[in-house]
Amino acid sequence: MDIEAILAIIFVLGVPSMALATHVVLRPLIREYAKLKGLKADREELEVRMAQIEDVVHDLDRQVSRLLEAERFRRELESGRRERPSLPDV
């Protein structure tokens, strides 16, 4: 048998069968890799959104604290006005 005939058989039958086998074997691995990569991207997006929510919660807490302090101050002013004797008319 001639080397050209062997090479022709390898290229006609061997290479396509190896490509098909590789495709069949690697397809599930590639799908799993893509799924894991997508999960990682989802996790990163979730972490970013959680950080944004934490910032909003801290901002709301700060605003509520300021409102409580303002209300406390207003009540102190009102209670101080009532207890204070009025100034004599001159």
Side-chain angles (χ1 to χ4, degrees), residues 14-63:
V15 172
S17 63
M18 290 295 289
L20 183 62
T22 304
H23 178 73
V24 169
V25 170
L26 290 181
R27 177 178 261 185
L29 294 175
I30 291 172
R31 284 185 180 167
E32 287 297 318
Y33 176 74
K35 190 184 297 182
L36 288 175
K37 191 173 181 181
L39 289 175
K40 184 178 178 184
D42 289 344
R43 185 179 304 139
E44 289 173 355
E45 181 183 345
L46 182 63
E47 288 175 359
V48 167
R49 293 185 74 183
M50 286 295 291
Q52 290 173 345
I53 290 172
E54 287 176 355
D55 290 342
V56 169
V57 168
H58 288 301
D59 189 43
L60 286 173
D61 183 50
R62 194 171 33 244
Q63 289 177 2

